[in-house]
Amino acid sequence: MAAENTETAEVVQSPGPSAVDISPDKDGGILKEIIKEGTGFETPVQGSRVFVHYVGTLTDGTKFDSSRDRGKPFDFNLGKGSVIKAWDIGVATMRKGEVAVLTCKPEYAYGKAGSPPTIPPDATLIFEIEVIEWTGEDLSQKKDGGIIRYQITKGDGYSTPNEGAVVEVRLVGKHGNRVFEERELSFPLGEGSEFGICEGLERAIEKFKKGEKSRIELKSKYAFKAEGKAELAIPPNADIEYEVELKNFEKAKESWSLDSAEKIEQAKFFKEKGTNYFKNEKYALALKMYKKVISFLEFGSGFEGDLDAERKALLLVGHLNLALCHLKLLEHVEARDQCDKALKLDPSSEKGLFRRGQANLGLGEPEKAKVDFEAVCKMDPNNKAAANQIILCNKKIKEQKGREKKIYANMFEKFAQRDREVGTPMETAEVN
Amino acid sequence: QNIDDLCSELTTILGDCLASGRINEALSVIYNVKYDQCIKDKSWDIIPSVTKFLIQETVDNSPEVFDCCETLLKEIAEKSSPEEALLEFLEQAESFENDVKFLALLKPIQIILFKLPKRRRQSLEWCLNMIESHVTSLPVPENYRLEGEERKLLDSDPCVCRITKVYGGIVPFCKPFVNEVSLRQRAEYQKNVQRDLLICFILQLLGHPLAFLDLECYEKSSSAIRSMTEELLTFLTYLAGDLMVFLEYAETRESERRSKRNENFTTGNSDEDIFCREDKVPVLSIAILYYLVLAEHIQLSEAPCIYSPLYIFQRCLYLIVVLIKHSEELVVRKGLLLANAVLVTLSEGSVPWNILESPIHKEFVESLSKVMICCEVESFRKSAVLILRSYLFKFDAKGRYLLMLNLPTVVNHSGILGYLITQLKDMIINALSSTMTLAYFTGKTLYDLMSIYCSLEHGAETDLVENVDQIVSALNLIRFLALRDRENKTGMWDYVGVLEKSLLEPLREGIKLSRAHYKLMLRDLEEEKNGMVNSDGLTRKSNVAITVGGQMLPNLTHENKVTVITSALNSFELIESLLSRVNECIDSGTLKS
């Protein structure tokens, strides 16, 4: 009896002839049949807040869930993985007002485990869905509709920048139809105000993935508020919008999800930043960036093969550049320490030796410096700079000797003078 | 007679009648139309003359007088002008010590609220606030370390009885207001202030003190407070529709806490969503809500069947942390039960590694390991250990690898490290025997893990007694690999030399040192004992100082000290025999480099 019932029910619940396979792998996992065409051509973009009514049934016809019974449309953010896969994929294909039936295989629903108590294991689910409307994604902490995102290009990966992370963005700001700014910059999240980035925009960027491009609508309280911004001709209490692309960003070093390749990538990101600052003679900032390079590479574990070679090369460059920055800032002790670290990794690093020579010179140790420069010349006899430095060292050594001679000469002269006044030096020494 | 005279006449009569138990007379007075006008205008003078009898003593000695007072107050509520009477009733009800009075006044307050349908919002808010403060002032039961069935004893705890009684009055109080705006009555898309107000109120009721009670369902019996909780959740479904929406607020709360940014610029924001506010919806309440829905299955069948289990798992992690960080054991227990409930819905190996980007995982493991080590209830410690394993194995291979790589930065307890090494062994077995990718448990990556887990922190000077769990597990792991992986699938043999240097050799040296040290202590003790027997033959306080794991053992008797030392010496034996077994396995391996 029971078997018969199921059979008849299954006939009723099988997808109609016009059903289309919309699963990305075309494995028949999600079949969609349009019951009523929607209006317009637009479908909701990733992240949209979508409002739907739906009725869910099992293949035997049992209704297991219905938003209509709860008396309120169901709403969710599309493409965020908050709902079963079939929904994230299926609803993204629907237009406003459209009614469609999705037949979802367990792999796109609750799988082998099912979802007790309602969904049995390995169940195919049938949903009749009506898309009522959608809005942008509300990114404001207070959910007050003040920061709304409309995604244009989906980003890669899964992470978003933390507070304090350096982000690299391209942005176009609009007030009405007027573009008031268009620029590319990088800044640490949380310090946006120093760079003319308003609070709301920072908030929004925190939710971006790498490579993502979106339109952000800001209410004035999240933008330039009651003051407006005269330089950009933004009047008081003006709502504005930005088109923002997150080109790259720094990841938290302590993040558990970073594997070796990503750590290398992060180190390179900061190396580049450091070099830019260095070229612009911002040595203190460059220093900060190179320190971050080191921090991502410090721990040996997790690197292997090519990555390990790359890690070592980067680490060497990091220490060498740190040394150079310290030299520019006249911090010779630090510079020497960094050279020591570099030379520990590669004892024959010409740059390492040369920079340590410079640091030693700066510390007033021309003899030590000379040893370093001579080592450079030995490796590369054509290195004119090093040869010049040796000449400089010799000069310094000579000067130093001369000065010492003078000091000691005077000293002996003084002692002799005093001895003559006081008596024998032996006696004085004993008395004192 | 002017109205003031009538009023004082009425209060005098009511007072006299109630004091002497003449209840029929009191009732006839209140029904007398002569006083209607003065009840309407002067309710704030009349109400106190009745409410002063609302004390426990009246209930005990003359219950009929108490009943009469309730009838009188209902009548006054009906006849009075609602605005004034409400203020007076609220003032009277605000006595945290007197539950009897508080409960008796709920009915007249409800009557008045129904007389104010137009200005309901503000007055309802006042009433709910008054109830909320009464509820939050209720004391909660202390930690009794009850295990299993013993928890049923809690039902007779005076705090629990009191809370049950108070909730027993509150639930019927709010029922009609819930029904008024229930989505089941009238489907409505728009926001409604009374609905939001009631949602916040019910969520508040789920927090303190409910969080501290036993809300579990036992086979046949369930406590009175459990059925009230079930009713509250039914209300919540009527009001909110989708009970799962609060998971999003849990996320907001989590990220808000993490960023220390100043929130001033949006205060007094009229568009603001009220559920975002911690003072309106405490995160503890959200945590209890999902404990009830997901672990106790209350209203679960009413929740939408669309949410992905992975999403629910991620959102609940923070709530679990909130619960298990508490010191009250029944709150911790709820956290553990919630953790179990969300983990069960995930299949092994199904959780992608990239969700580890969220710092919540570190917090979760950190607080879970605190329960594993420090919790006073044994069954909680055990269940935390099982949760950790279940959690680890839900991840894909890369996720497991990343977790194993990072866990030692969070937990530094030999017992847990030992347990983790056992898990690592299982992961390797898993990888070796399945088609699942071996990638993260071979070669350099495996070596990275082994070099973290299979090493001695301070070389030969490491305290072996303190680290015995870790050492034994590490030796077992190496032995297992040496025996199981003869073909060097894992690449372990390439690193055997390194392992010998980092673990096996210093360990041999360490055993030698420790054994000599402990034997010396044992000899000292024996000498001391001989001295003692000579004097009076009684067990006296022993003076030989013993340090184990860097801590001095205080005031132990001689026998206890001998036991401690003997057990330490036994551990060394154990380590040593394992060590020689490991060396044998390595030496017999053809692949030794």
Side-chain angles (χ1 to χ4, degrees), chain B residues 491-511:
Chain B
M492 191 275 287
W493 290 98
D494 309 339
Y495 298 111
V496 158
V498 187
L499 285 174
E500 276 178 344
K501 288 231 156 38
S502 70
L503 179 70
L504 306 179
E505 279 167 24
L507 191 56
R508 196 170 303 135
E509 183 64 24
I511 294 172

Side-chain angles (χ1 to χ4, degrees), chain A residues 65 110 144 206 259 302-303, chain B residues 261 269 305 307 398 444 448:
Chain A
D65 187 10
Y110 287 101
D144 57 9
E206 268 176 30
D259 64 3
F303 294 95
Chain B
R261 210 187 286 107
N269 185 339
C305 236
Y307 287 104
K398 186 170 178 182
K444 174 70 164 65
D448 289 334

Side-chain angles (χ1 to χ4, degrees), chain A residues 1-16:
Chain A
M1 243 337 253
E4 266 176 48
N5 272 344
T6 333
E7 229 165 80
T8 43
E10 257 170 24
V11 175
V12 178
Q13 293 298 321
S14 66

Side-chain angles (χ1 to χ4, degrees), chain B residues 66-110:
Chain B
F66 195 86
D67 290 348
C68 171
C69 287
E70 290 187 312
T71 317
L72 290 173
L73 290 170
K74 276 184 229 163
E75 201 53 34
I76 295 171
E78 295 284 4
K79 290 185 174 174
S80 63
S81 91
E83 288 87 349
E84 287 83 6
L86 182 65
L87 291 179
E88 185 55 35
F89 276 124
L90 284 176
E91 199 179 318
Q92 290 291 326
E94 250 173 64
S95 56
F96 295 154
E97 289 312 307
N98 189 346
D99 290 344
V100 167
K101 191 175 182 185
F102 167 80
L103 289 169
L105 289 175
L106 287 178
K107 190 69 203 175
I109 290 176
Q110 194 186 47

Side-chain angles (χ1 to χ4, degrees), chain B residues 111-379:
Chain B
I111 292 172
I112 290 179
L113 283 174
F114 274 112
K115 288 171 73 183
L116 289 166
K118 292 220 177 70
R119 277 152 296 166
R120 172 76 58 69
R121 197 195 68 81
Q122 186 61 62
S123 30
L124 183 63
E125 193 172 352
W126 286 338
C127 297
L128 297 181
N129 283 344
M130 185 276 293
I131 297 174
E132 245 169 59
S133 26
H134 191 91
V135 162
T136 38
S137 76
L138 292 171
V140 296
E142 51 186 293
N143 285 342
Y144 291 113
R145 290 184 220 167
L146 299 175
E147 307 227 12
E149 294 273 297
E150 288 171 13
R151 271 194 302 278
K152 288 183 188 165
L153 293 172
L154 261 183
D155 273 353
S156 49
D157 179 276
C159 293
V160 177
C161 294
R162 200 177 152 196
I163 295 167
T164 310
K165 216 170 184 180
V166 170
Y167 272 61
I170 296 172
V171 173
F173 171 83
C174 54
K175 192 171 187 168
F177 303 109
V178 170
N179 285 335
E180 244 181 17
V181 288
S182 163
L183 293 167
R184 301 287 161 117
Q185 301 273 322
R186 175 168 43 123
E188 203 178 14
Y189 192 16
Q190 292 303 315
K191 276 219 165 251
N192 173 305
V193 183
Q194 180 171 335
R195 195 181 295 140
D196 285 357
L197 213 58
L198 284 161
I199 289 175
C200 291
F201 175 69
I202 290 169
L203 284 170
Q204 288 269 12
L205 289 182
L206 295 182
H208 181 107
L210 225 49
F212 306 90
L213 304 190
D214 180 11
L215 302 173
E216 281 165 59
C217 187
Y218 300 93
E219 274 167 38
K220 282 183 196 113
S221 63
S222 67
S223 56
I225 196 73
R226 158 87 182 204
S227 30
M228 290 173 208
T229 310
E230 284 173 12
E231 193 157 4
L232 286 175
L233 256 66
T234 312
F235 290 170
L236 211 51
T237 305
Y238 289 168
L239 294 167
D242 173 4
L243 277 189
M244 293 298 181
V245 291
F246 300 101
L247 285 175
E248 254 180 67
Y249 296 99
E251 184 185 15
T252 326
R253 226 52 77 68
E254 185 189 339
S255 60
E256 203 164 64
R257 186 191 50 128
R258 211 159 274 137
S259 84
K260 288 146 207 123
R261 210 187 286 107
N262 202 335
E263 294 292 333
N264 283 343
F265 77 107
T266 43
T267 47
N269 185 339
S270 57
D271 314 324
E272 171 188 353
D273 186 337
I274 194 167
F275 303 134
C276 288
R277 287 174 51 180
E278 177 69 20
D279 60 332
K280 295 287 175 198
V281 180
V283 70
L284 177 64
S285 296
I286 302 181
I288 298 296
L289 170 65
Y290 288 106
Y291 154 72
L292 292 168
V293 175
L294 299 169
E296 294 298 323
H297 294 191
I298 303 177
Q299 290 290 313
L300 181 59
S301 53
E302 296 297 311
C305 236
I306 308 163
Y307 287 104
S308 92
L310 183 63
Y311 168 76
I312 294 175
F313 165 68
Q314 283 177 274
R315 292 285 77 84
C316 283
L317 272 178
Y318 173 54
L319 301 176
I320 294 166
V321 170
V322 166
L323 293 173
I324 63 180
K325 270 190 175 166
H326 269 263
S327 55
E328 295 82 359
E329 51 199 46
L330 278 171
V331 186
V332 175
R333 182 171 165 83
K334 291 184 178 64
L336 296 173
L337 289 170
L338 176 57
N340 261 327
V342 292
L343 284 167
V344 161
T345 61
L346 300 165
S347 42
E348 276 202 3
S350 72
V351 176
W353 63 272
N354 45 55
I355 72 160
L356 288 173
E357 117 213 351
S358 161
I360 192 62
H361 295 273
K362 184 178 171 190
E363 269 187 75
F364 170 68
V365 175
E366 219 162 14
S367 39
L368 190 65
S369 62
K370 287 224 175 73
V371 177
M372 288 165 67
I373 303 164
C374 309
C375 184
E376 289 180 335
V377 187
E378 193 198 355
S379 59

Side-chain angles (χ1 to χ4, degrees), chain A residues 18 20 32-43 93-101 129-131:
Chain A
S18 62
V20 185
K32 177 185 167 186
E33 189 184 3
I34 296 177
I35 303 293
K36 188 182 148 231
E37 292 284 348
T39 54
F41 295 100
E42 252 185 287
T43 54
T93 67
M94 294 177 71
R95 292 180 288 165
K96 194 170 169 176
E98 181 177 320
V99 181
V101 171
I129 305 175
E130 176 190 355
V131 170

Side-chain angles (χ1 to χ4, degrees), chain A residues 157-198:
Chain A
Y158 303 87
S159 4
T160 54
N162 289 54
E163 205 184 336
V166 175
V167 294
E168 209 175 288
V169 293
R170 217 194 98 72
L171 50 91
V172 180
K174 275 188 198 166
H175 174 231
N177 287 323
R178 181 178 65 88
V179 172
F180 63 82
E181 67 171 335
E182 191 167 356
R183 56 178 170 147
E184 246 185 87
L185 80 159
S186 57
F187 68 97
L189 270 185
E191 289 165 37
S193 55
E194 304 285 313
F195 298 80
I197 303 290
C198 59

Side-chain angles (χ1 to χ4, degrees), chain A residues 124-142:
Chain A
T124 295
L125 307 182
I126 298 157
F127 288 101
E128 189 191 280
I129 305 175
E130 176 190 355
V131 170
I132 301 165
E133 60 165 345
W134 64 81
T135 61
E137 185 183 4
D138 187 349
L139 298 180
S140 69
Q141 195 70 268
K142 304 278 178 200

